[in-house]
């Protein structure tokens, strides 16, 4: 079955899987960011709040577009304001997939409203594009604040963990995220940006503190 964009849904699904791999790595990065540079998430404008449902952890919230981004150690998402026609976005670390939703309030980690989460590919792609655009801008900001060596150090630290497998290096990751945001289903596969010496495998460890 083809999507309205003319790009087969199967192609869009593999791009969403690429983005999920990006977010698995990114969640580890955010965990490093709260411990670096005086807490990079706070410096970027996030508000730190107690994380509901998970004692002793925090979440970070940022107003973005007509909604909010909220980051937890277990999930990351964008939630539209009431009245917005845009689909929301949610990535759950343990599930390792991108989903869309029509929620206006951030989820409680571990208590996901399954009936509200959808797997409509076109909506998921639209929501992923918004989140990818923000993430590319955030990573560019981190590079300016900390220098290019900081993310390389984060990736090496991730790779040293028992289940820590790296995704794309910082410059390639930022470029691919921008292409996903601007081109959507017409974006190239992330694997075309991977250095030949590295293999693409999933990664899982992460937690914001």
């Amino acid at each position: 079955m083809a999507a309205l964009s003319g790009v087969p849904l199967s192609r869009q699904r593999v791009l969403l899987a690429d983005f999920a791999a990006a977010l698995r790595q990114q969640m580890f990065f955010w965990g490093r960011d709260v411990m670096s540079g005086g807490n990079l998430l706070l410096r970027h404008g996030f508000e730190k709040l107690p994380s509901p449902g998970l004692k002793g952890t925090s979440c970070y919230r940022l107003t973005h577009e007509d909604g909010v981004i909220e980051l937890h150690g277990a999930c990351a998402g964008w939630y539209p304001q009431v009245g917005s026609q845009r689909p929301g976005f949610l990535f759950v670390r343990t599930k390792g997939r991108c989903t869309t939703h029509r929620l206006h309030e951030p989820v409680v980690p571990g208590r996901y409203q399954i009936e509200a989460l959808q797997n409509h590919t076109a909506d998921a792609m639209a929501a992923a594009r918004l989140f990818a655009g923000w993430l590319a801008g955030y990573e560019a900001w981190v590079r300016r604040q900390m220098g290019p060596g900081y993310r390389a150090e984060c990736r090496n630290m991730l790779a040293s963990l028992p289940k820590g497998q790296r995704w794309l290096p910082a410059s390639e990751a930022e470029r691919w995220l921008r292409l996903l945001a601007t081109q959507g289903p017409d974006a190239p596969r992330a694997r075309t940006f991977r250095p030949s010496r590295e293999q693409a495998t999933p990664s899982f460890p992460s937690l914001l503190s």
Side-chain angles (χ1 to χ4, degrees):
M1 179 179 177
L4 293 177
S5 65
V7 178
L9 293 178
S10 58
R11 165 74 178 183
Q12 297 189 50
R13 291 186 187 109
V14 295
L15 288 172
L16 290 170
D18 285 348
F19 191 37
L23 290 171
R24 283 192 290 266
Q25 174 174 270
Q26 189 66 40
M27 292 190 81
F28 177 81
F29 287 176
W30 287 325
R32 298 304 307 166
D33 291 351
V34 301
M35 297 183 285
S36 305
N39 193 326
L40 290 172
L41 291 181
L42 291 181
R43 286 176 54 190
H44 192 65
F46 277 89
E47 178 185 8
K48 183 178 181 180
L49 303 166
S51 181
L54 297 173
K55 293 184 178 179
T57 65
S58 302
C59 69
Y60 289 81
R61 182 179 295 176
L62 177 74
T63 299
H64 181 69
E65 300 276 341
D66 55 340
V68 296
I69 289 171
E70 192 162 286
L71 308 178
H72 297 260
C75 60
W78 178 80
Y79 304 88
Q81 295 176 352
V82 175
S84 173
Q85 298 304 307
R86 298 189 188 189
F89 176 81
L90 182 67
F91 174 79
V92 179
R93 183 173 60 89
T94 55
K95 295 182 181 298
R97 66 184 303 177
C98 300
T99 58
T100 185
H101 61 78
R102 296 290 176 178
L103 301 171
H104 302 296
E105 292 294 329
V107 301
V108 174
R111 301 177 189 171
Y112 308 111
Q113 300 178 36
I114 301 302
E115 68 280 1
L117 302 183
Q118 304 167 7
N119 293 316
H120 189 278
T121 301
D123 277 357
M125 176 59 69
R129 292 178 69 175
L130 183 149
F131 202 83
W134 168 79
L135 182 53
Y138 172 78
E139 285 298 294
W141 178 85
V142 169
R143 172 170 43 80
R144 293 192 298 270
Q145 297 297 312
M146 303 295 287
Y150 171 67
R151 274 297 182 242
E153 181 181 333
C154 291
R155 286 184 80 240
N156 289 338
M157 189 175 299
L158 173 61
S160 71
L161 298 176
K163 294 184 179 180
Q165 299 295 328
R166 301 175 293 185
W167 190 61
L168 295 180
S171 60
E172 288 85 352
E174 187 181 324
R175 182 183 171 200
W176 184 82
L177 289 169
R178 291 195 185 281
L179 288 173
L180 182 65
T182 57
Q183 298 182 10
D186 293 315
R189 290 294 309 277
R191 65 189 181 192
T192 63
F193 292 81
R194 179 172 290 277
S196 58
R197 66 182 180 277
E198 296 184 3
Q199 298 297 316
T201 49
S203 57
F204 298 99
S206 154
L207 273 186
L208 296 178
S209 59

